Amino acid sequence: MGLTEWIVNRADDVIISMSPYDVLNLPYDIGVKVWESLGGLIAWLINLIVPGNWLSEALISNEVTNGVAMIVMVLVIFIIGFLTNLTMIWEERKVLGRMMDRRGTKICLLGWGQCLGDGLKTFMKENVTPKAIDNKIYWWGVSLIIGTSVLIACMVPLSPRWFIVNYEAGLLLIFAFFALAPFLILCAGWSQNNKYALMGGFRAAELMISYEIPMLLLFAACVLMTGSYNIGDIIAYQQENIWLVVPQIIGFFVCIVCAIAESERIPFDLAEAEAELVEGWQTEYAGMKWGLIMLGDYFRGFVACALVVIMYLGGWSLPFVNQFDWYWMYFPEIVMTLKICLVFFVFIWARGALPRVRTDQILNIGWKVLMPLAMLNLVITILLKVGGVF
């Protein structure tokens, strides 16, 4: 009996009978196809050696196929997110280079290979750990910072068919995990027994708290307008009506500023002010720990850009495109990724054009400028809903 015939006879209805999703999930489908090919080949070879054995049947059973498909699905989503982050790093280097009248990185694939080279170099550096640290908080703090950054990046759906779980409260969960960063950074800075790291931790906490409150008001206005916490429903509302950047133009600009601040990027990089604090709250994290923290920062930047796209720029939708013809006319995952990179270009533009903001200025901007504007945006949204405009 041939390989294809043997697999088909024993694994006909895996996707239909075992899939945990009611709709098409492209990463899960990829995982199923990968295991049907690889696992089926392994099971067929074992069956040739020992005909009729239980192991061959188990390897292509619905339960095993479903479990492996879930693992492959998570890996695929993480790999795509990781490659997107490397592309954002490459974008920043090339754009900043042009802003500074130079070409930027040029190593391999228009300079994209420099990102991989820097990661390898950082991985090979010595892993130094100070003696006088609070060992548990030192390690748990940085692990949770990196872990939550990767988690929320993987929670962001790139299309109706590219997600891990279709959360009914998806946007709320992303905001909740995003808000853990100030506490974790403060703990990590305190645990290093270093005054510069501690000062950086305090600065990061006060910065993020100052800008999270306006972000929550913008989130409330978005949910009030669309009537749902579900990311797919929010984007579907914008596809059927109008992108929220139009009725909530004030909220859009406030969200851009808050997203830059929440990502700890220039001009709001006070917590990592190298000229003042050596390396801020990351001072005593060396080698690959520092490299992973930097990667986590870009994951958070990815999420911040994705939130702007989801709440105001229609997510993966395009204007004048019928939602039922999406899969035939374009790839929504690519559209979502390009929009994220476009918003990230604004972040890079701010970095290249603006100087660092002082501590008192940061707090004044957050509490005295952005907070009233976020409140005004919420009031306008309420009036539009009560007036029946949207």
Side-chain angles (χ1 to χ4, degrees):
M1 184 181 295
L3 171 60
T4 304
E5 182 183 358
W6 190 84
I7 296 174
V8 169
N9 288 342
R10 289 161 174 78
D12 290 332
D13 304 314
V14 173
I15 299 178
I16 297 176
S17 61
M18 293 303 297
S19 174
Y21 302 103
D22 297 329
V23 296
L24 171 65
N25 187 314
L26 189 56
Y28 177 82
D29 194 35
I30 292 173
V32 171
K33 294 296 190 294
V34 167
W35 186 246
E36 281 184 343
S37 301
L38 180 60
L41 175 61
I42 296 172
W44 178 71
L45 291 174
I46 295 175
N47 189 68
L48 283 180
I49 300 172
V50 185
N53 66 91
W54 65 269
L55 181 58
S56 297
E57 300 288 344
L59 285 175
I60 60 169
S61 65
N62 290 346
E63 292 79 6
V64 173
T65 302
N66 180 65
V68 175
M70 295 290 287
I71 295 172
V72 174
M73 175 190 73
V74 174
L75 288 176
V76 168
I77 290 176
F78 171 76
I79 291 171
I80 294 300
F82 179 73
L83 293 177
T84 303
N85 268 265
L86 293 183
T87 304
M88 291 169 66
I89 297 173
W90 168 82
E91 178 189 2
E92 181 164 24
R93 287 174 163 173
K94 297 297 283 188
V95 172
L96 284 178
R98 292 298 182 179
M99 288 182 175
M100 299 173 185
D101 198 23
R102 56 185 177 83
R103 298 185 65 86
T105 177
K106 297 172 62 178
I107 298 177
C108 181
L109 299 175
L110 299 176
W112 194 88
Q114 180 70 50
C115 303
L116 296 176
D118 287 343
L120 179 61
K121 179 192 71 174
T122 306
F123 183 77
M124 297 175 66
K125 286 186 176 295
E126 184 179 2
N127 184 23
V128 178
T129 303
K131 290 183 178 179
I133 60 172
D134 188 309
N135 199 55
K136 290 184 178 180
I137 299 179
Y138 177 87
W139 287 104
W140 275 106
V142 69
S143 299
L144 289 174
I145 291 169
I146 298 167
T148 53
S149 299
V150 174
L151 175 62
I152 57 178
C154 292
M155 288 171 62
V156 174
L158 295 183
S159 76
R161 62 185 183 183
W162 190 282
F163 59 92
I164 292 182
V165 178
N166 186 21
Y167 303 95
E168 287 303 317
L171 199 60
L172 182 62
L173 285 173
I174 290 176
F175 268 97
F177 281 111
F178 210 70
L180 289 175
F183 172 73
L184 296 173
I185 289 175
L186 179 58
C187 291
W190 175 83
S191 69
Q192 298 170 52
N193 194 29
N194 181 299
K195 62 181 179 181
Y196 300 112
L198 181 59
M199 291 172 62
F202 277 122
R203 286 183 175 187
E206 67 180 2
L207 164 67
M208 291 182 170
I209 291 172
S210 300
Y211 287 80
E212 276 176 4
I213 308 301
M215 280 284 281
L216 288 175
L217 291 176
L218 300 177
F219 164 73
C222 174
V223 172
L224 180 63
M225 180 72 78
T226 59
S228 176
Y229 293 103
N230 184 281
I231 293 175
D233 293 344
I234 292 171
I235 295 175
Y237 175 90
Q238 296 179 72
Q239 174 73 14
E240 296 168 3
N241 296 277
I242 191 171
W243 288 5
L244 295 189
V245 66
V246 177
Q248 298 187 16
I249 184 66
I250 297 175
F252 172 72
F253 286 110
V254 172
C255 190
I256 288 287
V257 178
C258 291
I260 295 174
E262 285 290 295
S263 304
E264 296 184 81
R265 294 182 55 84
I266 296 173
F268 301 103
D269 68 328
L270 200 67
E272 301 162 1
E274 292 92 343
E276 306 167 22
L277 302 176
V278 186
E279 186 56 29
W281 69 270
Q282 308 166 20
T283 300
E284 301 293 354
Y285 287 107
M288 198 57 190
K289 297 193 293 295
W290 180 85
L292 290 174
I293 290 173
M294 290 291 101
L295 184 62
D297 287 345
Y298 277 93
F299 270 113
R300 291 179 62 80
F302 167 82
V303 175
C305 295
L307 289 175
V308 175
V309 172
I310 289 168
M311 292 198 297
Y312 296 103
L313 300 179
W316 49 74
S317 67
L318 285 175
F320 313 114
V321 175
N322 190 314
Q323 60 178 335
F324 299 106
D325 297 333
W326 281 352
Y327 305 119
W328 302 104
M329 300 181 69
Y330 75 98
F331 291 99
E333 300 85 8
I334 296 178
V335 171
M336 181 73 172
T337 304
L338 289 177
K339 285 185 179 182
I340 290 172
C341 291
L342 179 62
V343 174
F344 191 66
F345 172 79
V346 178
F347 287 21
I348 302 169
W349 190 4
R351 174 176 179 173
L354 300 175
R356 181 182 301 130
V357 183
R358 296 197 317 263
T359 306
D360 60 319
Q361 293 173 329
I362 282 180
L363 298 180
N364 287 334
I365 291 172
W367 292 108
K368 296 181 180 180
V369 178
L370 298 184
M371 176 70 79
L373 288 176
M375 288 292 295
L376 176 61
N377 179 74
L378 181 59
V379 170
I380 292 174
T381 301
I382 294 173
L383 293 176
L384 290 175
K385 292 295 289 185
V386 172
V389 180
F390 293 100

